[in-house]
Amino acid sequence: MKRKLIAAIGIAGMVVTVAACGGSDSGSSDNSGADAKELTVWLTVDAQNNWPQLVKAADAAVQKKHPGIKINHEYYGWPDKNTKLDAVLATDKAPDVVEMGNTEMLGYMVKGAFAPLDTSTFTNSSAWLDGLKASVTYDGKTYGVPYYAGGRVGNWRKDVFASVGVKSTPKTYAELTAALDKVQKKEGDKFSAWYQPTRDWYAAMSFVYDAGGSIAVESGGQWKGNLSSPESVKGLTEFKNVVDKYMHGDKTKDESDRYIVYGQGKSGMIFGAAWEGATSADPKNDKTGKLKDNLENFVMPGPSGKNMPVFLGGSDLAVPVKSKAQAVAAEWINAFTGPSGQKGLMAKGNLPNNKTDLATLKNDPATAVPATAAESNWFVPMAPGWGQVEKAQVLQTMLQNIGTGKKSVEAAAKDADAAIDKVINTK
């Protein structure tokens, strides 16, 4: 899986074979390995291809403190990483550091696959972005370190909106919908003023959280679906309004090929991952020949009057509980994700793992939009059965039923809550 798709990585198909194991909050157990002579680090090919110098810098920092230590690196593509990880976690050959997509973390934490970590030993941990912090936290303990992030933004065609007299990106939701109304009226019903795939639950849940709702809520250690709450229904209703008024494509599709559809020239705007606009403008995707230098990202305004909260995709780094070098593994992670590492990752176009560094990006016009958008963010419920909710595609089914008119918002949300309640507390 390419780096640009990381935000969509799910935990739905994951199988973990490792048994749950104990460990202290600092990770100092019989496997602490403070004097380890060897360290094995598993990363995806993103690091190998895009920032190998950051890996070398982290190695050097650890080797300076532990002269003679041997550091091994293995690199994997996203599609096959978890299959190989699951297999090795069932043996005594576990790696010491492993990269995970942030929505992959939960199932492994629930099963006890990762060692708990002491957050005080990681630079900037107190400033980790909220959505990323949530992805490494389960049952009051921290089992990973955020590595980098990718957010979501609005993107529109300047030429399309200029044709109806709109020459600047919207600062409010009212400005956005007014501009969309003009475009839709001018272009007609074979054109999507806003191409918004119905099954795109990342976008839909942004509306839900903007309205004060949520996917699920926890009370007394038990999770319960919350999509039929008045707040969530309000958000879902506005999402339906968008789909009804501005989306004139196939209302049974998801967002996986949105950048391709956008490049075909039959839509004026998308709300998606920050890379999607530029990828649509790539000559191999741009079928109009007009998208280069004609697309503009903007911070998505929400109906609430605030910036739309966005889902933060990204990667985390974890230490398998079977690692025999947990202490040194934590040192390597801190060296890799610390201030110099974050600076290097930002230079490569990534969002940092913390609010302190994120604030610096807001001052640069080239990065201000994704950095500002990422400040308001949400993450999936950190419930033991969330993976089963994803696997069953509960949210996608609900949204398709809403978007196609098969069910009312209220009925679809109520049915989704019932489906969520059946599995969300199951380990």
Side-chain angles (χ1 to χ4, degrees), residues 228-285:
S228 59
S229 69
E231 296 84 0
S232 295
V233 167
K234 181 180 179 181
L236 290 170
T237 299
E238 185 55 37
F239 180 76
K240 175 177 169 55
N241 289 341
V242 166
V243 172
D244 286 350
K245 292 180 69 176
Y246 309 122
M247 167 62 177
H248 296 282
D250 184 348
K251 294 185 179 180
T252 66
K253 292 191 67 171
D254 65 17
E255 72 282 5
S256 59
D257 65 346
R258 173 169 44 211
Y259 67 97
I260 294 175
V261 175
Y262 195 31
Q264 293 171 348
K266 295 182 180 180
S267 50
M269 173 194 150
I270 58 173
F271 171 40
W275 55 264
E276 291 187 57
T279 306
S280 298
D282 186 296
K284 67 176 179 288
N285 296 319

Side-chain angles (χ1 to χ4, degrees), residues 145-405:
V145 176
Y147 171 10
Y148 68 91
R152 282 167 165 71
V153 297
N155 180 285
W156 74 13
R157 287 182 54 175
K158 291 185 286 186
D159 60 340
V160 169
F161 285 86
S163 73
V164 294
V166 179
K167 299 186 179 178
S168 60
T169 54
K171 299 298 184 291
T172 68
Y173 193 70
E175 289 179 2
L176 172 62
T177 55
L180 288 166
D181 288 343
K182 291 178 181 178
V183 168
Q184 196 63 68
K185 182 178 180 179
K186 177 178 182 291
E187 298 292 341
D189 60 9
K190 294 187 181 299
F191 186 89
S192 295
W194 176 350
Y195 180 74
Q196 178 51 63
T198 308
R199 290 171 65 87
D200 176 13
W201 64 276
Y202 296 107
M205 293 306 105
S206 287
F207 280 88
V208 166
Y209 281 91
D210 180 70
S214 61
I215 299 171
V217 292
E218 182 185 19
S219 178
Q222 291 291 300
W223 287 84
K224 185 174 179 61
N226 193 48
L227 293 166
S228 59
S229 69
E231 296 84 0
S232 295
V233 167
K234 181 180 179 181
L236 290 170
T237 299
E238 185 55 37
F239 180 76
K240 175 177 169 55
N241 289 341
V242 166
V243 172
D244 286 350
K245 292 180 69 176
Y246 309 122
M247 167 62 177
H248 296 282
D250 184 348
K251 294 185 179 180
T252 66
K253 292 191 67 171
D254 65 17
E255 72 282 5
S256 59
D257 65 346
R258 173 169 44 211
Y259 67 97
I260 294 175
V261 175
Y262 195 31
Q264 293 171 348
K266 295 182 180 180
S267 50
M269 173 194 150
I270 58 173
F271 171 40
W275 55 264
E276 291 187 57
T279 306
S280 298
D282 186 296
K284 67 176 179 288
N285 296 319
D286 179 10
K287 304 306 179 184
T288 70
K290 302 177 181 178
L291 299 187
K292 185 179 180 181
D293 301 323
N294 191 33
L295 298 181
E296 187 172 8
N297 282 337
F298 58 92
V299 179
M300 190 71 179
S304 69
K306 300 178 181 179
N307 290 343
M308 186 82 85
V310 298
F311 175 82
L312 283 184
S315 276
D316 299 325
L317 297 171
V319 179
V321 74
K322 288 189 174 183
S323 164
K324 297 178 176 62
Q326 292 179 16
V328 181
E331 291 176 17
W332 191 92
I333 292 174
N334 190 45
F336 190 53
T337 62
S340 61
Q342 292 300 305
K343 184 177 180 180
L345 288 166
M346 289 189 291
K348 293 293 184 177
N350 300 289
L351 293 178
N353 66 4
N354 66 89
K355 299 171 185 175
T356 304
D357 287 325
L358 188 70
T360 67
L361 295 182
K362 292 176 62 180
N363 299 322
D364 183 345
T367 55
V369 167
T372 301
E375 286 186 310
S376 178
N377 54 78
W378 61 271
F379 198 65
V380 300
M382 296 304 285
W386 175 251
Q388 295 186 54
V389 176
E390 277 200 35
K391 185 177 181 180
Q393 298 194 354
V394 173
L395 300 184
Q396 294 94 321
T397 299
M398 173 190 71
L399 293 171
Q400 183 169 322
N401 286 336
I402 290 172
T404 59

Side-chain angles (χ1 to χ4, degrees), residues 97-138:
V97 177
V98 62
E99 178 181 349
M100 306 293 297
N102 62 355
T103 63
E104 297 175 325
M105 284 289 295
L106 180 56
Y108 287 86
M109 294 190 294
V110 169
K111 297 294 185 181
F114 298 143
L117 302 172
D118 179 0
T119 57
S120 69
T121 64
F122 297 99
T123 310
N124 278 332
S125 61
S126 62
W128 285 343
L129 297 177
D130 295 339
L132 300 185
K133 182 178 180 180
S135 76
V136 297
T137 306
Y138 179 70

Side-chain angles (χ1 to χ4, degrees), residues 13 15 42 78-89 108:
V15 177
W42 281 19
W78 285 106
D80 59 355
K81 175 181 66 67
N82 285 1
T83 299
K84 295 180 179 180
L85 179 61
D86 294 344
V88 77
L89 288 180
Y108 287 86

